[in-house]
């Protein structure tokens, strides 16, 4: 069946007023128009040729990536809640939001941000290799993302990962092994979960120890959640900016 007659069927016309079918006779003077895969109606935007090849538009892919990242990270938080519930750990006592806890979290993120900037200035080959790998992952996953999308993903990561690692697993580990061994064990698990490269595993483990100390010292999860979210947000924006993506829009100042 010719494409035009198929799109001009009664089912297609049900979506609006559609143009009549074109003649199947070849006319060399006729201008070739882009293929409309959704429908011929004027109210529907014509897709590019990429759609004809089974490729999704950039905006759809970006939205799916952000949604999947948020779903995965918040899913980790729900797993943490289930583990805490099964182990009899009271998370509510550690999730009391206060200005002190929020400010403590913001301040705790500052040393990591300084280290991130220093990391980008380093010429040490393991760090250069790690930087290239991280940029590649960020570019592939978050190409075209804007600051508010980075913020959503960062908040989800801060909440989900800290609830699981520091809220549920760390109390269990410290109960079985002692405070600092428990912090180290969970930090190693945290590092393994982020083991993009051996160098990244070490860096993530150190950050896990830092977050573990923050949670243990103040018996609080708000500060680690805030520190984690703030650092992830700044890191994503900074890495995307340094990678030189043309379609990146930095936050308004």
């Amino acid at each position: 069946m010719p494409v035009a007659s198929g799109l001009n069927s009664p089912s297609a016309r049900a979506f609006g007023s559609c143009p009549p079918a074109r003649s199947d006779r070849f006319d060399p003077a006729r201008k070739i128009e882009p293929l409309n895969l959704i429908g011929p109606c004027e109210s529907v935007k014509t897709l590019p040729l990429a759609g004809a090849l089974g490729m999704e538009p950039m905006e759809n892919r970006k939205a799916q990536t952000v949604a999947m990242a948020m779903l995965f990270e918040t899913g980790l938080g729900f797993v943490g809640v289930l583990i805490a519930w099964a182990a009899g750990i009271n998370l509510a006592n550690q999730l009391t939001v206060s200005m002190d806890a929020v400010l403590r979290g913001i301040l705790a993120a500052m040393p990591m941000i300084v280290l991130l900037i220093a990391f980008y200035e380093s010429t040490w080959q393991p760090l250069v290799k790690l930087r290239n790998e991280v940029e590649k992952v960020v570019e592939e996953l978050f190409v075209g993302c804007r600051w508010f999308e980075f913020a959503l993903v960062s908040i989800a990561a801060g909440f989900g990962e800290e609830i699981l690692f520091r809220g549920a697993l760390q109390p269990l580990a410290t109960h079985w092994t002692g405070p600092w061994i428990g912090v180290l064990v969970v930090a190693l698990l945290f590092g393994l979960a982020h083991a993009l490269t051996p160098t990244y595993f070490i860096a993530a483990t150190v950050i896990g120890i830092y977050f573990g100390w923050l949670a243990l010292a103040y018996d609080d999860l708000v500060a680690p959640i805030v520190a984690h979210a703030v650092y992830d947000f700044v890191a994503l924006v900074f890495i995307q900016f340094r990678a030189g993506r043309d379609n990146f829009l930095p936050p308004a100042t």
Side-chain angles (χ1 to χ4, degrees):
M1 177 186 295
V3 173
S5 61
L7 293 175
N8 201 31
S9 63
S11 60
R13 288 195 298 269
F15 291 95
S17 177
C18 303
R22 296 173 179 172
S23 172
D24 292 333
R25 179 181 299 176
F26 174 70
D27 182 0
R30 189 179 67 193
K31 182 180 178 182
I32 298 177
E33 299 178 357
L35 177 63
N36 189 336
L37 296 181
I38 298 179
C41 303
E42 293 180 356
S43 60
V44 181
K45 183 179 180 181
T46 301
L47 293 178
L49 180 59
L53 300 177
M55 299 170 59
E56 296 176 298
M58 178 67 71
E59 288 297 320
N60 288 348
R61 293 204 305 272
K62 182 179 69 174
Q64 289 176 0
T65 298
V66 172
M68 289 301 296
M70 292 181 63
L71 182 62
F72 175 78
E73 296 291 357
T74 53
L76 293 180
F78 285 117
V79 171
V81 169
L82 290 176
I83 293 175
W85 173 77
I89 299 170
N90 190 342
L91 291 175
N93 291 341
Q94 302 179 71
L95 289 172
T96 302
V97 179
S98 67
M99 186 60 66
D100 287 344
V102 172
L103 290 176
R104 187 163 57 246
I106 294 173
L107 290 174
M110 295 301 107
M112 295 187 294
I113 293 172
V114 172
L115 289 175
L116 173 67
I117 297 173
F119 158 71
Y120 256 81
E121 298 301 323
S122 174
T123 57
W124 188 39
Q125 281 306 305
L127 292 183
V128 172
K129 181 180 179 181
L130 174 60
R131 183 168 66 233
N132 293 336
E133 291 290 337
V134 171
E135 284 185 356
K136 181 180 178 181
V137 171
V138 171
E139 289 176 14
E140 289 179 352
L141 292 181
F142 299 107
V143 59
C145 286
R146 292 171 171 82
W147 68 268
F148 62 88
E149 292 163 321
F150 284 147
L152 292 175
V153 173
S154 299
I155 292 170
F159 171 81
E161 294 183 20
E162 292 309 309
I163 290 292
L164 175 60
F165 287 99
R166 257 59 68 178
L169 297 181
Q170 183 166 294
L172 287 176
T174 55
H175 176 74
W176 293 334
T177 63
W180 289 108
I181 296 178
V183 168
L184 178 59
V185 168
V186 174
L188 288 170
L189 294 175
F190 185 75
L192 287 172
H194 296 79
L196 181 64
T197 67
T199 306
Y200 199 86
F201 163 73
I202 295 172
T205 300
V206 172
I207 292 175
I209 294 173
Y210 182 54
F211 287 154
W213 164 79
L214 194 61
L216 185 66
Y218 295 94
D219 191 26
D220 166 62
L221 288 175
V222 175
I225 289 172
V226 172
H228 193 148
V230 169
Y231 171 75
D232 278 4
F233 172 72
V234 173
L236 285 171
V237 172
F238 181 77
I239 291 170
Q240 190 80 316
F241 176 75
R242 287 293 297 261
R245 303 303 303 183
D246 293 336
N247 53 359
F248 171 69
L249 299 178
T253 57

